[in-house]
Amino acid sequence: MSGNIELLSTTLAAAKAEDRAALIAYLPAGFPTVDGGIEAVKAVIEGGADVVEIGLPHSDPVLDGPVIQTADDIALRGGVRIADVMRTVREAYEATGVPILVMTYWNPIDRYGVERFTAELAEAGGAGCILPDLPVQESALWREHAEKHGLATVFVVAPSSQDARLATITAAGSGFVYAASLMGVTGTRASVGAQAQELVGRTRATTDLPVCVGLGVSNAEQAAEVAGFADGVIVGSAFVKAMLDAPDEAAGLDAVRSLAGELAQGVRKR
């Protein structure tokens, strides 16, 4: 079975045709439980998310700040496994038809086996992977199997990336480019910063792929700001915090559904 890279591409293109940015939500698998995490993904899609990234919980998430680290710890202590990540992708995709990616560090894939991981992700209906710590020059094996199975390979670029490096990264990637709005880890912030707009401009000069911005967006106003210059707005910590702060799972689902609705309105006010 082939993965859903084409669905990802058509979804991002459809948002552009509506003269808006896409809303991309991030939630870790297994948080607060595997079943609860699947329901949370459905809730953000019901609220208006166009694309969802499922985080594969990791013991040393170098790109992630304290909010996502806390959720990852809860998921890992709950015994989450890669099979649960695949189940989350499968059930979320089958229930919604929305493109679902996995965001993961390289070590779990390397240990699991690249062919096995890509084959299972495609079979589950996944659209691709975001790989924040996989160097492009070491990605040939991954890209070979991802392409064979119809999966996008999304690399992360940062404000520190030189133009020549941007060109190398974007030439190797597919689906979209993940532009980190600032140097640092994930988390909600008071402002997204001018660095993000400059980075999007420099990245677009190297590729026709959509450029989506993450790190720091937490409310509709910030989503509208980023939607003014990016093809997609990626929100993670704000959703996870809404779940963490809720008194129970039902309230958490209501909170992320509501936040997705506010952010969906924000990306339409570019």
Side-chain angles (χ1 to χ4, degrees), residues 12 43 45 52 84 100-101 106 114-116 127 175 197-198 200 213-214 218 224 233 242 247-248 254 258 263 269:
L12 294 173
I45 293 169
V52 176
D84 300 310
I100 311 287
L101 298 105
W106 180 245
V114 176
E115 169 60 22
R116 180 184 177 194
Q197 187 166 0
E198 181 194 9
V200 169
V213 171
S218 61
V233 180
D248 55 50
D254 287 342
S258 175
L263 292 164
K269 294 177 181 175

Side-chain angles (χ1 to χ4, degrees), residues 122-260:
E123 191 275 330
C129 258
I130 300 160
L131 300 158
D133 68 340
L134 177 63
V136 172
Q137 62 269 29
E138 298 175 18
S139 67
L141 178 65
W142 164 266
R143 288 186 285 124
E144 174 192 339
H145 288 287
E147 185 173 349
K148 179 172 76 171
H149 290 291
L151 298 169
T153 297
V154 179
F155 289 114
V156 179
V157 298
S160 61
S161 302
Q162 299 297 313
D163 290 350
R165 177 70 176 163
L166 287 177
T168 300
I169 293 171
T170 58
S174 56
F176 65 90
V177 182
Y178 187 126
S181 67
L182 39 76
M183 300 302 293
V185 296
T186 58
T188 60
R189 289 176 172 81
S191 64
V192 179
Q195 289 185 101
Q197 187 166 0
E198 181 194 9
L199 176 59
V200 169
R202 291 197 297 120
T203 304
R204 279 194 177 136
T206 72
T207 184
D208 291 328
L209 289 173
V211 183
C212 304
V213 171
L215 274 66
V217 178
S218 61
N219 58 47
E221 184 179 3
Q222 291 173 334
E225 176 193 351
V226 173
F229 57 82
D231 299 298
V233 180
I234 303 169
V235 181
S237 294
F239 284 119
V240 176
K241 188 174 187 301
M243 294 284 289
L244 285 169
D245 289 349
D248 55 50
E249 190 175 304
L253 296 178
D254 287 342
V256 295
R257 188 181 295 108
S258 175
L259 176 59

